[in-house]
Amino acid sequence: MPELTDLSVIRTLCEKYDFALSKGFGQNFIINPGLPPKIVDASGVDKNWGVLEIGPGIGVLTKELAQRAAKVVSIEVDERLPPLLAETMAGVDNFKLVLQDVLKVDLRALIEEEFPGMPVAVCANLPYYITSPILTALLEAECFESVTVMVQKEVAQRIAAQPGSADYSAFTVFCQYYAQPELLFDVPAHCFLPQPKVTSAVIHLRTRQEKPWDILDKDVFFRTVRASFAMRRKKLSNGLASGFPELGKQGAAEVLQAAGFDANVRGETLGIPEFARIANEIVRRRGEK
Ligand code: SAM
């Protein structure tokens, strides 16, 4: 099979199958031949690994993954792509296509069924219009050892941000609760067909098998995080009071004090251990009532 990053090969395939790239599905295909091996290197997979890919497109990253991993399962939503993939992936017997919207797939069940007893990594060039919902689903599934994805550079920076920085957000805390992110390298727009309007970046998330914090109630923890970022640059007690109306302003101030924080503390400067202290204090107060 000729090189799938070659523009003339892509054009021939598109003509043969009457396929036009869809903006709606976030289709920006890789046309830089050095990129698929580099992304697979970053994922660290070898023949002991199962890999879940999201959005194979015409299979440019999929082929590289199938060469290096034990098995690759790719979830693709575009119903026009299976005939193209049948041609580009012909003869590759450790590859399986699942034609579905990734956001509607029961990921844990799929992984259990397809990769019994195997460590599983995600490796993908994600469709940018649904990056956050996909990452949320992948991390919440808690069945992957790592997630290596190409995303918009801004999103990668947000995922890897430190407390107090402009990029730090509730989504940062969410991702860092589940995984340890490492920003790897930028990918310029000219590496894709068509060129996206933004720079991309590859990020590797090593998922946490054990969470190193004592968090009494995960839902209260994430509610605390969301409430803390909902009113950026305002006092945290105000954010808490509106995120937890049952506390009231007085209660929110008491929670902060009991957790050992100054009344003027701002949410965007806190890390996971600090959010955990506040959330645990809210849980304790509830228990006392
Ligand atoms: N992997 C290919 C590459 O790197 O050239 C294509 C990547 S392209 C950025 C994103 C892919 O995700 C497309 O194939 C698109 O059809 C697919 N996609 C978009 N939305 C999806 C969804 N909800 N579920 C599964 N795949 C989706």
Side-chain angles (χ1 to χ4, degrees):
M1 184 70 207
E3 190 63 74
L4 290 176
T5 50
D6 188 323
L7 280 178
S8 65
V9 172
I10 299 175
R11 281 200 193 102
T12 307
L13 272 172
C14 289
E15 271 168 31
K16 181 170 173 188
Y17 293 96
D18 196 20
F19 177 85
L21 277 86
S22 151
K23 227 180 174 177
F25 283 141
Q27 290 174 346
N28 298 94
F29 293 171
I30 294 173
I31 53 164
N32 179 318
L35 207 44
K38 202 170 167 188
I39 296 172
V40 180
D41 282 348
S43 76
V45 300
D46 59 27
K47 283 290 173 193
N48 298 310
W49 286 77
V51 177
L52 179 74
E53 183 193 23
I54 292 131
I58 58 170
V60 59
L61 185 60
T62 326
K63 281 191 91 160
E64 186 72 28
L65 285 166
Q67 272 173 25
R68 305 242 222 129
K71 179 175 177 184
V72 180
V73 173
S74 303
I75 304 175
E76 174 59 63
V77 74
D78 188 340
E79 292 178 357
R80 302 169 305 160
L81 281 169
L84 276 88
L85 281 163
E87 176 170 337
T88 58
M89 298 300 288
V92 181
D93 57 11
N94 61 342
F95 161 69
K96 180 169 174 179
L97 179 66
V98 174
L99 189 60
Q100 233 181 309
D101 177 343
V102 65
L103 297 178
K104 297 189 177 143
V105 173
D106 179 341
L107 291 172
R108 285 186 83 101
L110 178 75
I111 297 312
E112 260 173 46
E113 192 180 323
E114 297 292 343
F115 304 104
M118 239 187 249
V120 186
V122 173
C123 188
N125 172 15
L126 291 182
Y128 292 177
Y129 74 106
I130 42 168
T131 302
S132 301
I134 293 177
L135 281 173
T136 301
L138 292 173
L139 293 173
E140 279 183 340
E142 294 193 278
C143 56
F144 304 106
E145 306 282 320
S146 68
V147 175
T148 306
V149 279
M150 181 132 65
V151 295
Q152 223 175 297
K153 184 179 177 181
E154 276 174 18
V155 176
Q157 287 171 325
R158 209 144 60 80
I159 293 170
Q162 293 300 311
S165 67
D167 293 327
Y168 193 56
S169 67
F171 189 60
T172 311
V173 178
F174 173 85
C175 292
Q176 296 188 10
Y177 170 85
Y178 285 104
Q180 293 174 285
E182 193 186 345
L183 243 174
L184 295 178
F185 53 89
D186 289 357
V187 181
H190 63 74
C191 292
F192 303 93
L193 177 78
Q195 293 193 17
K197 291 201 173 68
V198 293
T199 298
S200 302
V202 173
I203 189 161
H204 177 77
L205 293 132
R206 187 151 56 85
T207 57
R208 299 182 192 274
Q209 304 308 311
E210 302 286 335
K211 314 282 186 293
W213 318 281
D214 179 23
I215 291 173
L216 296 175
D217 182 323
K218 198 165 88 174
D219 291 339
V220 173
F221 171 76
F222 283 123
R223 240 178 103 190
T224 303
V225 172
R226 283 193 300 273
S228 305
F229 283 97
M231 296 181 164
R232 269 184 105 98
R233 280 173 273 284
K234 289 242 170 86
K235 281 206 267 179
L236 178 52
S237 55
N238 292 335
L240 281 183
S242 63
F244 293 89
E246 66 273 28
L247 285 177
K249 279 204 162 184
Q250 174 73 17
E254 285 169 13
V255 162
L256 281 182
Q257 198 185 18
F261 292 102
D262 186 275
N264 294 319
V265 69
R266 293 183 193 288
E268 64 265 28
T269 63
L270 303 181
I272 293 178
E274 288 80 27
F275 285 122
R277 259 160 58 202
I278 297 168
N280 287 350
E281 196 50 47
I282 294 172
V283 174
R284 275 190 211 104
R285 275 175 74 95
R286 281 181 176 170
E288 283 163 12
K289 279 186 184 159

